[in-house]
Amino acid sequence: MASPSGSSADGSGKAQEAPQTSEKAREVLADDYYFMGIAGLAAKKSKDPMTQVGACIVNQEKKIVGVGYNGMPRDSKNLPWSRNAEKEEAERKYLYVCHAELNAIMNKNSADLKGCTMYVTLFPCNECAKLILQAGIKEVVYFSEKNDTPASTAASKKMLEDAAVPLRKFEPKEAIVIDFSKLQHHSAK
Ligand SMILES: Nc1nc(=O)n([C@H]2C[C@H](O)[C@@H](COP(=O)(O)O)O2)cc1CO
Ligand SMILES: [Zn+2]
């Protein structure tokens, strides 16, 4: 797994000396990479054939209190995933799909989300911005921004800024790779 906490293993910026013992140096993932990584992993569960979005909500103790991805409402079976602009609105996904942010909020495993930070792989729409504000979330960290819904994005920014909720873009400098073979634990002989 990559260790994106800075150039040094401890994030101090100083070059690290080789470990003196036979113990392997551990790589420690920085918070933003961890939480956006969880949001990214959640996105991979989405059945949206075009756009997979994930969100991860973290409380002030840095504990994860909700995770979600975009999907059709619970128990729905035959709702359309089409985005084809030529189809009737009722035959397109937009009227039905639950956004990743909504699902992360609904999936919360804590009493409330006051003071939490939301990590989301795509900039929140105006409807999700309202949910974020009403839930008491106090910071939003996003990864990518689409420019196909400018009015929604502008309204979302306006609401979040108006309520002084900081919006921060996550700009990763390296990839996170989970190599399962490295997670194989062998008992010491
Ligand atoms: N912040 C967001 N969270 C989301 O979960 N979504 C979802 C809704 C749709 O399933 C899909 C966007 O549709 P499209 O860009 O492929 O046509 O992403 C979209 C946004 C963008 O506002
Ligand atoms: Zn939304």
Side-chain angles (χ1 to χ4, degrees):
M1 204 183 292
S3 160
S5 51
S7 53
S8 55
D10 67 354
S12 65
K14 291 185 201 136
Q16 293 293 291
E17 285 176 23
Q20 296 298 302
T21 65
S22 60
E23 213 174 286
K24 269 198 263 167
R26 292 216 187 279
E27 293 170 344
V28 178
L29 207 55
D31 287 346
D32 276 1
Y33 283 80
Y34 176 48
F35 299 127
M36 193 60 88
I38 302 276
L41 208 54
K44 288 180 149 306
K45 287 287 290 171
S46 173
K47 294 195 176 88
D48 189 321
M50 186 58 136
T51 307
Q52 293 179 304
V53 186
C56 173
I57 305 172
V58 180
N59 72 12
Q60 282 160 314
E61 294 172 5
K62 306 257 164 122
K63 291 192 177 125
I64 294 171
V65 291
V67 176
Y69 53 87
N70 54 325
M72 289 303 172
R74 186 184 292 258
D75 295 336
S76 59
K77 289 173 193 68
N78 290 309
L79 297 174
W81 274 115
S82 172
R83 70 198 293 274
N84 187 343
E86 280 155 30
K87 287 195 174 176
E88 299 265 318
E89 240 193 323
E91 294 307 315
R92 304 168 75 205
K93 63 183 172 183
Y94 302 102
L95 291 177
Y96 313 111
V97 70
C98 301
H99 286 196
E101 300 92 319
L102 177 155
N103 282 332
I105 290 171
M106 293 303 293
N107 289 343
K108 73 176 188 294
N109 58 16
S110 64
D112 65 57
L113 299 176
K114 292 198 177 76
C116 288
T117 296
M118 177 181 279
Y119 286 80
V120 59
T121 60
L122 189 56
F123 195 90
C125 74
N126 60 312
E127 292 301 330
C128 289
K130 294 177 201 173
L131 294 174
I132 289 167
L133 291 171
Q134 296 305 69
I137 290 172
K138 286 287 177 258
E139 187 188 11
V140 174
V141 185
Y142 65 96
F143 175 51
S144 73
E145 244 176 313
K146 278 192 179 225
N147 49 15
D148 54 359
T149 48
S152 162
T153 302
S156 173
K157 269 191 191 152
K158 189 169 173 157
M159 281 186 274
L160 293 165
E161 280 169 13
D162 190 50
V165 171
L167 265 169
R168 182 158 65 79
K169 186 168 168 59
F170 172 61
E171 303 199 75
K173 303 284 179 284
E174 53 189 300
I176 300 172
V177 178
I178 299 174
D179 177 350
F180 283 101
S181 70
K182 294 216 172 104
L183 293 174
Q184 194 84 50
H185 297 283
H186 301 284
S187 50
K189 291 235 171 91

PDB file of all heavy atoms in Angstrom, residues 99-102 123-129, ligand 2:
ATOM      1  N   HIS A  99     -28.423   9.623  -4.162  1.00  0.00           N
ATOM      2  CA  HIS A  99     -27.016   9.997  -4.267  1.00  0.00           C
ATOM      3  C   HIS A  99     -26.201   9.397  -3.114  1.00  0.00           C
ATOM      4  O   HIS A  99     -26.739   9.087  -2.043  1.00  0.00           O
ATOM      5  CB  HIS A  99     -26.883  11.524  -4.272  1.00  0.00           C
ATOM      6  CG  HIS A  99     -27.307  12.137  -5.580  1.00  0.00           C
ATOM      7  ND1 HIS A  99     -26.993  13.422  -5.955  1.00  0.00           N
ATOM      8  CD2 HIS A  99     -28.004  11.603  -6.621  1.00  0.00           C
ATOM      9  CE1 HIS A  99     -27.489  13.676  -7.162  1.00  0.00           C
ATOM     10  NE2 HIS A  99     -28.111  12.574  -7.588  1.00  0.00           N
ATOM     11  N   ALA A 100     -24.916   9.272  -3.367  1.00  0.00           N
ATOM     12  CA  ALA A 100     -24.011   8.671  -2.378  1.00  0.00           C
ATOM     13  C   ALA A 100     -24.083   9.413  -1.043  1.00  0.00           C
ATOM     14  O   ALA A 100     -24.065   8.791   0.035  1.00  0.00           O
ATOM     15  CB  ALA A 100     -22.580   8.728  -2.912  1.00  0.00           C
ATOM     16  N   GLU A 101     -24.191  10.731  -1.111  1.00  0.00           N
ATOM     17  CA  GLU A 101     -24.217  11.546   0.113  1.00  0.00           C
ATOM     18  C   GLU A 101     -25.462  11.245   0.926  1.00  0.00           C
ATOM     19  O   GLU A 101     -25.406  11.104   2.150  1.00  0.00           O
ATOM     20  CB  GLU A 101     -24.197  13.043  -0.256  1.00  0.00           C
ATOM     21  CG  GLU A 101     -22.988  13.492  -1.053  1.00  0.00           C
ATOM     22  CD  GLU A 101     -23.181  13.438  -2.557  1.00  0.00           C
ATOM     23  OE1 GLU A 101     -23.775  12.456  -3.057  1.00  0.00           O
ATOM     24  OE2 GLU A 101     -22.725  14.358  -3.247  1.00  0.00           O
ATOM     25  N   LEU A 102     -26.614  11.151   0.232  1.00  0.00           N
ATOM     26  CA  LEU A 102     -27.872  10.838   0.909  1.00  0.00           C
ATOM     27  C   LEU A 102     -27.746   9.471   1.592  1.00  0.00           C
ATOM     28  O   LEU A 102     -28.117   9.305   2.766  1.00  0.00           O
ATOM     29  CB  LEU A 102     -29.008  10.830  -0.127  1.00  0.00           C
ATOM     30  CG  LEU A 102     -30.424  10.462   0.324  1.00  0.00           C
ATOM     31  CD1 LEU A 102     -31.436  11.091  -0.614  1.00  0.00           C
ATOM     32  CD2 LEU A 102     -30.674   8.972   0.364  1.00  0.00           C
ATOM     33  N   PHE A 123     -18.323  16.198  -6.401  1.00  0.00           N
ATOM     34  CA  PHE A 123     -18.858  17.413  -5.759  1.00  0.00           C
ATOM     35  C   PHE A 123     -20.367  17.270  -5.506  1.00  0.00           C
ATOM     36  O   PHE A 123     -21.111  16.880  -6.403  1.00  0.00           O
ATOM     37  CB  PHE A 123     -18.579  18.625  -6.656  1.00  0.00           C
ATOM     38  CG  PHE A 123     -18.755  19.912  -5.938  1.00  0.00           C
ATOM     39  CD1 PHE A 123     -17.701  20.502  -5.272  1.00  0.00           C
ATOM     40  CD2 PHE A 123     -20.008  20.531  -5.900  1.00  0.00           C
ATOM     41  CE1 PHE A 123     -17.873  21.693  -4.582  1.00  0.00           C
ATOM     42  CE2 PHE A 123     -20.189  21.712  -5.201  1.00  0.00           C
ATOM     43  CZ  PHE A 123     -19.114  22.296  -4.549  1.00  0.00           C
ATOM     44  N   PRO A 124     -20.831  17.589  -4.305  1.00  0.00           N
ATOM     45  CA  PRO A 124     -22.258  17.395  -3.991  1.00  0.00           C
ATOM     46  C   PRO A 124     -23.183  18.304  -4.803  1.00  0.00           C
ATOM     47  O   PRO A 124     -22.850  19.462  -5.064  1.00  0.00           O
ATOM     48  CB  PRO A 124     -22.367  17.765  -2.505  1.00  0.00           C
ATOM     49  CG  PRO A 124     -20.995  17.898  -1.995  1.00  0.00           C
ATOM     50  CD  PRO A 124     -20.075  18.100  -3.164  1.00  0.00           C
ATOM     51  N   CYS A 125     -24.335  17.772  -5.157  1.00  0.00           N
ATOM     52  CA  CYS A 125     -25.351  18.574  -5.863  1.00  0.00           C
ATOM     53  C   CYS A 125     -26.067  19.483  -4.852  1.00  0.00           C
ATOM     54  O   CYS A 125     -25.862  19.361  -3.641  1.00  0.00           O
ATOM     55  CB  CYS A 125     -26.346  17.658  -6.583  1.00  0.00           C
ATOM     56  SG  CYS A 125     -27.496  16.836  -5.468  1.00  0.00           S
ATOM     57  N   ASN A 126     -26.940  20.335  -5.337  1.00  0.00           N
ATOM     58  CA  ASN A 126     -27.644  21.258  -4.436  1.00  0.00           C
ATOM     59  C   ASN A 126     -28.552  20.526  -3.453  1.00  0.00           C
ATOM     60  O   ASN A 126     -28.668  20.925  -2.294  1.00  0.00           O
ATOM     61  CB  ASN A 126     -28.437  22.292  -5.251  1.00  0.00           C
ATOM     62  CG  ASN A 126     -29.478  21.637  -6.140  1.00  0.00           C
ATOM     63  OD1 ASN A 126     -29.178  20.684  -6.850  1.00  0.00           O
ATOM     64  ND2 ASN A 126     -30.691  22.131  -6.110  1.00  0.00           N
ATOM     65  N   GLU A 127     -29.182  19.418  -3.890  1.00  0.00           N
ATOM     66  CA  GLU A 127     -30.069  18.699  -2.964  1.00  0.00           C
ATOM     67  C   GLU A 127     -29.249  18.055  -1.842  1.00  0.00           C
ATOM     68  O   GLU A 127     -29.669  18.058  -0.682  1.00  0.00           O
ATOM     69  CB  GLU A 127     -30.901  17.636  -3.711  1.00  0.00           C
ATOM     70  CG  GLU A 127     -31.935  18.233  -4.667  1.00  0.00           C
ATOM     71  CD  GLU A 127     -32.954  19.147  -3.969  1.00  0.00           C
ATOM     72  OE1 GLU A 127     -33.258  18.911  -2.782  1.00  0.00           O
ATOM     73  OE2 GLU A 127     -33.428  20.105  -4.618  1.00  0.00           O
ATOM     74  N   CYS A 128     -28.108  17.513  -2.185  1.00  0.00           N
ATOM     75  CA  CYS A 128     -27.263  16.905  -1.144  1.00  0.00           C
ATOM     76  C   CYS A 128     -26.644  17.969  -0.249  1.00  0.00           C
ATOM     77  O   CYS A 128     -26.436  17.731   0.948  1.00  0.00           O
ATOM     78  CB  CYS A 128     -26.194  16.016  -1.768  1.00  0.00           C
ATOM     79  SG  CYS A 128     -26.929  14.519  -2.460  1.00  0.00           S
ATOM     80  N   ALA A 129     -26.371  19.146  -0.812  1.00  0.00           N
ATOM     81  CA  ALA A 129     -25.840  20.236   0.023  1.00  0.00           C
ATOM     82  C   ALA A 129     -26.849  20.565   1.129  1.00  0.00           C
ATOM     83  O   ALA A 129     -26.480  20.805   2.285  1.00  0.00           O
ATOM     84  CB  ALA A 129     -25.543  21.462  -0.835  1.00  0.00           C
TER      85      ALA A 129
HETATM   86 ZN    ZN B   2     -26.717  14.905  -4.663  1.00  0.00          ZN
END
